[in-house]
Amino acid sequence: MNYIFWLFTSWLLLSSPVYALADSRSLINKALTLRLNYDPVWLRLGHYHKRLGILGSYWESDESDADFFVAPDGKQNPTSELIATIRGFFSSHKRRLSHSRPSETVKCEFPARYFYLMTRLGMHPSELDFSDCTDYVEFRDRTNANSVTVVFSSYYMGNPESVFGHTLLRLNQADPNSEHSALLDYGVNYAAVPNTSNPILYAWDGLFGGFRGEFASMHYYYKVREYNDFDSRDLWEYDINLTPAEVAQLVRHIWELGFASFRYYYLTSNCSYQLIGALDAAVPRLNLESRIPFWVIPADTIRAIYNTPGLVNRVRFRPSLYRQFESRYKLLSSREKSKLRELALSIRHDQRDSAKIKRDILKIKDATVMDAALDYIDARFGKALLRKDPKISEMKQEFLIARSRLPIAKPPPEISEPNSAPHLGHGTFRWSIGRGTETLPSTNDGFTDLSVRFALHSEVDPTIGYPPRSDVEFMHIIGHIYDAQPRSSVSPRQNLDPEIEEVRLIEVQNLVPYDSNFPHWSWKFRVGGEETHDTALCSRCFSGVNEAAFGLTWVPNFISSLTAYALVDSQLNIGDFLGGSASLAIGPMVGFRQVWNPRFVSTLEELSFVEIHSADRIFGSRFRFDTEYSLINNLSFFMSGMWISSPTAGGQMIEAGLRIFR
Amino acid sequence: MNKFAALSILFLSFGAFAQPVGPAGCGLGNQIFGDQNQVLAATTNDTSGTQTFGISSGTSNCIDSSRMAQIENYVDVNRVALANDISRGQGETLSGLDNLMGCTNTSAVNESLKSNYSQIFPTQNARAVYVTRQIQRSIKESSARTDCHLG
């Protein structure tokens, strides 16, 4: 009898709010006894990081949106956030959220926290029920995630913020090896929310935290159309090996991140940093964050993921629109190729003459030529088509109608992977140590070169894992230590003082082979500061420099390893020695780049210039060579030289040494 | 003028040089797209913070839970690739559509869509609602009509 009475009263208690309150109190006590407030997983779920202040270290969350915290001081206080979160789990009160988000109870806003904390506090996962969280359950069921893929969108030089590549997650509705349409899966993307159209502010805010960044999920087809088609970027897909429980927790945490927004920093708190933060929070065993440096470069995070034993199941390649055209074109016979070239010519020139286009189209009887023609139109005029340009759309419609009357062709063979997969690439951080000599008109001096580059890839670095003719260098600092007291009277130098030879804040070089079917400019630009060599006004003075060059690139058919380019170069120098004004040097530049093999690359470059400073006109030239040979992975030998001649200054510099990548 | 000032001026001129024109890079969203196109719109929409929640609440047109709305959205966003695939009678984007419509006998469906290409896409820029209706009609009139769930 007594027994039944107790059973009955405890049932009453269990189903009453009084119990809930008592329960939250006891659970909070239990959580604090277990020290869950400093539990690594709890800290990760709150995106807390230890920071150093004047009064010692403290915890702070990366998150900057108040909606992400239940406690008012939750951003800096994981303990009060834990207490408020557990108390919130037992409240049916719906919190009012900003940004016109629907209000949610704490449990429904934070299902990952709920799941983790409640299982730590002794509940069995099967006892945890989210059926009262309609919105979350709808999100979970719609994404229907079974497995996870990390997607890398390759470097895109057409746009400054894309030069490092991009990463996102894909939640696969089925086992990725089964037959299903990946286009219908969900992509989870972290991006900044720009609030300016001023390019200067845009660059500034993007680099220094002026934008908010947010997570969003959408069908993967949006991303394929955007990156593969609109930008013509290759996508690399890394299927990762997570248990069903880990996938489920990741989906819960992604839901939580939908309520979050972070301060966006292009170099540190970017897409890859947030992606790794989300993965580490849901799957703490990965601990990816410990393996990436302070600067987060998307390709480095891909390597961290790829090098985690047993994590990556399979790598897939999704070719860009341009590559799809290229592969179809390669399949054609030489007669068909010339037919297609003729057609491309009339596509470019007779867009207005629809009758002529129609006549040309009717001549094509072969589905493979027609398919290549369609890909050509997309690759050449893709942006115009997406913008619904009427002329291009009408012209393409004629092709499509004609194509639909031809039979179904054999499916095109799978496009073989180029060797630009990011996981194969060298590390982006690079040290150089070298010895060299510098000869100026009056002296001859030996020096030791110590250089550091934060990112990413130069024209002579090993080519595997990078696009073939695009280079990006960010924060490249070149320092020299001279052996003897130097001689320049303009800038006297101390003995053995390391001297900054050059700072490249950013240098981008994009050499795209010119082809009448795909006419592209080649260009490069560089911003930073340097010791002047090639200005006649002062032979060793530090000067701010801004260089921009435009021109054309040619890759001969018979030696595809050779790239030749001709650019018009302009270089603006600003420095004390110019009396507060600037000097401008303009001239033609010719260069060659030879890839002997993927580990051995050489470049030669000749620049002739006229330098203009107030009334002075000084003619000069500069010749440079650079060669790098990869000895083993992440260790290269390099040799470089430079000759400058001008009526008033001039000299040469030769050096050799080692480069270490990590 | 000191070195720092010189560097900052150059940095700013780099900003002027670096006109952001294309879509999102490493998470840095795009700023100049209008609403001419869903793909373009998505690159701005998906960063506005509404989409995750649109997905959950079914308010935005691209995430309506009904199958019809999903098909229409798919047609609209994938229109260029889908028109190619329908005229060719094969391709990943067409398979995605078959999948979305729950079609089992895809070769018959694809064949029928191919032969009706000019009815389905009377112009490249036909409205997605119209294209979707034509796709359904051409399947209903074909031998594959029982193989799909057209709702």
Side-chain angles (χ1 to χ4, degrees), chain A residues 159 162 191-192 196-197 202 216-217 221-222 225 231 258 264 271 318 371 378 386 396-397 404 406 545-546 576, chain B residues 1 10 13 23 25-27 29 31 37 46-47 49 53 55-56 62-63 73 78 84 88 92 114 117 121 124:
Chain A
N159 200 9
S162 305
T196 171
S197 57
Y202 187 81
S217 39
Y221 57 71
Y222 279 95
R225 303 282 87 105
D231 287 352
Y264 179 93
C271 62
R318 192 179 272 277
D371 282 345
D378 286 355
L386 276 169
K396 183 161 177 218
Q397 175 73 352
S404 72
L406 297 172
V545 59
N546 187 355
D576 287 337
Chain B
M1 189 157 37
L10 287 169
S13 62
C26 182
Q31 44 166 327
N37 180 284
D46 68 27
T47 56
F53 301 93
I55 283 163
S56 66
C62 57
I63 37 68
N73 187 66
N78 294 288
N84 289 344
R88 286 169 176 155
E92 192 195 14
K114 179 174 184 298
Y117 172 81
F121 280 102
Q124 279 292 283

Side-chain angles (χ1 to χ4, degrees), chain A residues 295-605:
Chain A
W295 302 66
V296 190
I297 306 295
D300 288 335
T301 63
I302 292 293
R303 275 186 288 277
I305 288 167
Y306 189 83
N307 294 330
T308 305
L311 184 57
V312 173
N313 273 338
R314 185 175 162 175
V315 185
R316 276 163 220 266
F317 171 62
R318 192 179 272 277
S320 70
L321 203 59
Y322 179 77
R323 227 183 261 282
Q324 290 170 37
F325 163 73
E326 211 178 35
S327 81
R328 278 201 208 262
Y329 183 73
K330 277 186 190 147
L331 290 177
L332 302 179
S333 68
S334 57
R335 221 174 57 89
E336 290 168 329
K337 277 181 186 165
S338 68
K339 220 193 269 179
L340 184 73
R341 275 197 298 273
E342 254 171 60
L343 198 62
L345 196 73
S346 81
I347 289 170
R348 291 202 309 279
H349 294 288
D350 304 325
Q351 284 162 31
R352 284 156 216 271
D353 186 354
S354 56
K356 170 144 190 336
I357 289 265
K358 274 185 199 166
R359 282 198 304 277
D360 286 340
I361 292 170
L362 285 177
K363 284 187 221 150
I364 307 174
K365 302 275 184 275
D366 188 353
T368 52
V369 178
M370 187 62 107
D371 282 345
L374 282 173
D375 279 0
Y376 172 71
I377 296 172
D378 286 355
R380 177 76 164 79
F381 301 107
K383 288 188 168 61
L385 282 170
L386 276 169
R387 295 204 169 100
K388 301 190 177 173
D389 177 289
K391 244 177 240 119
I392 305 284
S393 303
E394 272 166 41
M395 187 248 318
K396 183 161 177 218
Q397 175 73 352
E398 298 296 335
F399 275 87
L400 287 167
I401 291 173
R403 175 64 187 91
S404 72
R405 291 179 184 144
L406 297 172
I408 294 177
K410 267 192 305 187
E414 221 159 84
I415 296 171
S416 61
E417 290 181 10
N419 67 359
S420 54
H423 67 273
L424 301 172
H426 59 75
T428 58
F429 190 92
R430 190 183 83 180
W431 289 100
S432 302
I433 301 158
R435 279 291 299 169
T437 75
E438 187 183 276
T439 312
L440 290 169
S442 50
T443 50
N444 186 347
D445 197 0
F447 65 86
T448 302
D449 175 349
L450 287 175
S451 302
V452 58
R453 182 192 72 196
F454 286 88
L456 177 85
H457 175 72
S458 86
E459 57 203 351
V460 286
D461 288 342
T463 60
I464 295 173
Y466 290 89
R469 291 174 198 91
S470 300
D471 322 299
V472 182
E473 290 203 292
F474 195 88
M475 280 306 279
H476 186 181
I477 301 162
I478 302 166
H480 283 182
I481 301 169
Y482 288 89
D483 296 343
Q485 179 75 39
R487 59 285 122 186
S488 168
S489 55
V490 187
S491 75
R493 202 192 291 124
Q494 300 302 308
N495 241 354
L496 292 180
D497 264 356
E499 183 149 318
I500 303 291
E501 184 70 12
E502 186 179 347
V503 178
R504 284 179 208 163
L505 292 179
I506 188 153
E507 180 180 62
V508 182
Q509 175 169 293
N510 191 29
L511 303 175
V512 195
Y514 186 87
D515 173 343
S516 57
N517 289 324
F518 294 97
H520 285 292
W521 287 100
S522 292
W523 49 268
K524 66 173 166 185
F525 75 82
R526 172 169 68 105
V527 174
E530 63 180 12
E531 286 276 341
T532 55
H533 288 288
D534 41 356
T535 168
L537 299 158
C538 172
S539 86
R540 291 210 55 92
C541 299
F542 198 82
S543 145
V545 59
N546 187 355
E547 184 180 4
F550 288 89
L552 299 176
T553 295
W554 179 59
V555 175
N557 285 330
F558 43 94
I559 338 170
S560 59
S561 59
L562 182 70
T563 305
Y565 57 91
L567 310 174
V568 175
D569 183 77
S570 71
Q571 181 171 325
L572 187 73
N573 281 66
I574 300 174
D576 287 337
F577 63 94
L578 295 167
S581 74
S583 81
L584 179 69
I586 298 182
M589 174 192 276
V590 179
F592 299 93
R593 176 170 176 269
Q594 169 66 17
V595 181
W596 307 103
N597 69 49
R599 310 173 70 103
F600 182 20
V601 185
S602 305
T603 60
L604 294 176
E605 190 181 87

